[in-house]
Amino acid sequence: MTTPRILPVMPSENVLFPGMLLPLHVRRASHLLLVTECLDSHGELGMILEIDDAPQQIGTVAKIIDYQPQEGGEMTLLVTGTERFTIAEMITDQPYTKALIAPYPFLETMSKDELDDRAEQVRRLFNNCVKLIASQRGCESQGVIALPEQTNDLGWTIASALSIPPLERQQLLEKESPASLLQSEIIYLESLLAELREQNSMES
């Protein structure tokens, strides 16, 4: 997406990141109509987090990659996030909500070498956390998990894996640059790693 366009948007309790797979169960009549019309056209919709009936301004374009009708007219979907957007204007005179959305690309705020160092720190912290969690659950460590080489993909993969509340996930989605996204993940992973090590020491 390089220019603004109109897209149906579906409020959700979940945050979808680019590259992330997300199953959805659609029940509301207006959302079922939205999905049906999307399937008849380009198969894309905008997903935005809604908190206390207040939709957030930054969302992710979702591509429907599988769907299954259910009893009672409901539907299950599998979507994947493709790119971020910001809402320029809400359009509500439809059976469901549409919005004029504009691209929300990352800004480059750091040299490639510095960004690569930060990405490597995230990989190391994440794998250390995975090994400790596996150990606590009595599972054998499978070694280092292969994570994406591309920095943007790495940031979204880690964001998708973090067990944090929706509002904190939204804050990650809204980061202006790969550097700021990775730095937020470093802070979270360092805190998680410290907690896991403390738990291990108390149990040993």
Side-chain angles (χ1 to χ4, degrees):
M1 180 171 57
T2 57
T3 58
R5 60 172 168 142
I6 294 176
L7 196 67
V9 293
M10 182 186 294
S12 174
E13 297 178 350
N14 299 307
V15 175
L16 178 68
F17 295 106
M20 175 183 172
L21 289 174
L22 182 67
L24 299 173
H25 192 99
V26 184
R27 299 182 179 87
R28 194 180 303 178
S30 59
H31 291 174
L32 288 167
L33 179 60
L34 181 159
V35 169
T36 299
E37 295 196 9
C38 285
L39 289 170
D40 289 340
S41 55
H42 43 66
E44 289 184 333
L45 61 143
M47 284 195 61
I48 52 175
L49 178 67
E50 186 174 72
I51 299 177
D52 298 329
D53 296 322
Q56 305 300 298
Q57 285 295 113
I58 307 299
T60 303
V61 176
K63 180 74 174 179
I64 300 172
I65 59 176
D66 196 12
Y67 68 97
Q68 183 67 47
Q70 302 294 322
E71 292 183 5
E74 298 178 359
M75 188 178 295
T76 56
L77 305 176
L78 182 64
V79 303
T80 183
T82 60
E83 57 189 323
R84 300 188 301 172
F85 63 81
T86 182
I87 294 176
E89 180 184 356
M90 297 295 288
I91 304 171
T92 57
D93 59 342
Q94 305 286 336
Y96 49 82
T97 300
K98 293 184 179 181
L100 177 64
I101 65 171
Y104 188 65
F106 270 142
L107 302 176
E108 297 299 333
T109 60
M110 180 177 284
S111 72
K112 184 180 184 305
D113 287 345
E114 291 175 311
L115 193 60
D116 287 346
D117 288 344
R118 189 166 293 186
E120 187 55 37
Q121 187 176 358
V122 167
R123 290 188 183 92
R124 184 174 62 254
L125 286 167
F126 181 80
N127 275 293
N128 286 341
C129 288
V130 169
K131 290 176 183 178
L132 279 176
I133 291 171
S135 174
Q136 290 178 355
R137 294 178 178 176
C139 304
E140 289 188 13
S141 174
Q142 300 300 312
V144 175
I145 294 176
L147 293 167
E149 289 296 326
Q150 212 279 335
T151 305
N152 292 3
D153 293 341
L154 172 67
W156 296 133
T157 298
I158 299 297
S160 301
L162 296 181
S163 179
I164 54 179
L167 188 55
E168 292 183 30
R169 294 172 74 82
Q170 179 68 24
Q171 291 168 351
L172 292 181
L173 181 67
E174 295 180 5
K175 293 298 181 182
E176 67 175 13
S177 68
S180 59
L181 174 61
L182 293 174
Q183 184 58 37
S184 294
E185 292 170 348
I186 286 170
I187 292 170
Y188 178 83
L189 290 170
E190 285 179 336
S191 176
L192 176 59
L193 189 59
E195 291 177 13
L196 292 170
R197 285 171 172 165
E198 183 177 355
Q199 292 172 9
N200 267 12
S201 64
M202 291 175 63
E203 293 171 0
S204 58

